[in-house]
Amino acid sequence: MRNPGGVLSNLLRRAATGVRDLALVTLATTTVLFFLIRLTGDPSVMIAGESATPAQLAQVRAAYGFDRSLIEQYLVYAGKVLHFDMGVSLQDGQSAIHKVLQAYPATLMLAAAAITANIVISVPIGAWLGQSRGAAARVVRIALNVLQGMPGFVSALLLVNIFAVGLGWLPSVGYGRPETLILPVVSVVSFMAPKLIRVIEANTSAALRSNFVRTARSIGASNRQILWRHVLPNALLGAIALIGAEIAAMLTGLVIIETIFAWPGIGWLLVQSTLNLDFPVVQAIALVMVVSVFLANAATEALQTLADPRLRTKGRPE
Amino acid sequence: MTIRPHWTTLLMAIVAGFCLLVILFGGLIETVLDPRAMNLDWRLSPPLTHGFLLGSDAFGRDVAARMLAGLRWSVSIATLATLIASVIGVTLGLVAARRESWLSTLLRQITTFTQAFPAFVLAVTVIAILRGNGIQAVVLTLGLITWPVFARVAYAEGQAIFQREYVLAAAMMGMSRMRLYLRHVLPGLVPSLSVLIVFHFAEMIIAESALSFLGIGTPMGAPTWGVMLSESQTYIRDAPWLLIAPAGAIVTLIMTAHLFAQHLRTRAP
């Protein structure tokens, strides 16, 4: 490192922009959610129920401050959000944010397991596909095409049908035991892996054709050395970028996968709260998801910068 | 793509023709194959028994009839949502690309924001808040949430096209703004937009079936593939055809769309 001070100030500047962007994204999300709920009718009817008497409605209005002006309500709401107060669940009166944070570790665990499994499976397959032109590679490519056309929840249902119902090898629902993790993780990997394999395959074959590999070969490096020292590090850089970009997509997939497997994470909670019209919890989940995706993206970018010296001075790649 | 023999063209033509026929003659088909008619004597009949080509479900409803009704539902929603998203996205993207303005800045911000946000979660949230059940709620929500993809492409490519000599010349000769967009700018976008539209259509098919699978936005009793999938879970032990039929339909439609998009991409200059 020729200029360590430059790297540090660069990182600090990026951290500052990151914090600013996070604040903007949070502000935008909460504002949109606030006005969406206010736009679509009287929230006091939503809380008290369709059959509430006018007296009950007035009580709810006073209790929640709906009798005040919209701007005033928004300011109060924004102030509460700043203190991590998203209201209470309409189902059981628990703090909405508390409910969400209780469900959060389950999602985090599933996501971490899925990302790890995805990398462990995709990197060798992608690296192998990038080097081979044979019949086996053709078959794998066709299989990947089929897998890519399969939405995550469809493969999840098929997996449940085969391994839980048909063969009885694995439990289809449950939480807490390691074997209950297998089917959900495989379902998530089945829709994330094809893309990652594609990227690693493309990067591997591009790296194999590059000048630095030709140079390495000309000075007598073995195939194994070329793969480990020159090709894979370059192929993995693209993989880091893709994994970051796919985190939002994975959260989407998790909403359905968690519902199918009754996995008590925030995706499952989102669907339950949506069906129960529990808006404070839905809002809290949306906010937590936005912040998580944002932080994951920031972490990916930082990881990329650490892994790829070319990004340290030039800024982010196009 | 590496694999592109002629059978893909054949498959695409068959699937597309089939979808078109089902949508055009949907009303006529439903008079013969009623997706809602229950036949309680023949519940859960396996395929090819009692005159059920694909079997019957727990209420004795014809799975084949429900598949065709589901096709109409899915394809209509996906087409309309793609149409809304592409019109909004391309219009905003091109207007922003014409010259740097507050709109370009806003658009870039919105694009970054939506990229960081799981669109499906937003769709679930919005439909929940709107408490919309029905085709309009799903179409509008999906269309209004997913347009930034189109805006990003139209903006990026539009910026290059507005710099081309023939566009500058046409503008200098006093061609009206509208005509300039339609005659000179839009045709330049067609290669990349057509690929994007087909991919988006596939995404919308997935999003629609996922939403109706979760029971969000779908009216009670509507025969959609997502609803069929979620109903199949109860009888998975006794009636696997209830799962296989809709799953196969979704996968076939999406794979065909992907093949078509790849076909368009390899043909694009």
Side-chain angles (χ1 to χ4, degrees), chain A residues 4 11 16 49 54 57 59 81 86 104 109 141 156 159 170 195 205 234 237 241 249 258 273 277 291:
Chain A
L11 278 180
L57 281 180
Q59 205 180 356
V81 171
M86 301 287 291
Y104 198 58
M109 184 169 137
R141 284 196 190 100
L159 285 168
L170 292 164
K195 269 187 194 160
S205 62
N234 276 288
L237 287 177
E258 283 181 1
S273 316
L277 303 175
V291 174

Side-chain angles (χ1 to χ4, degrees), chain A residues 222-277:
Chain A
S222 69
N223 274 341
R224 177 186 292 260
Q225 277 173 324
I226 287 173
L227 182 67
W228 286 101
R229 293 249 339 143
H230 303 286
V231 174
L232 270 186
N234 276 288
L236 290 183
L237 287 177
I240 297 177
L242 182 77
I243 291 169
E246 288 278 283
I247 283 176
M250 189 183 68
L251 269 184
T252 294
L254 282 184
V255 171
I256 307 165
I257 301 285
E258 283 181 1
T259 307
I260 291 175
F261 293 101
W263 189 264
I266 54 173
W268 171 82
L269 187 63
L270 175 70
V271 174
Q272 299 307 313
S273 316
T274 304
L275 294 175
N276 292 328
L277 303 175

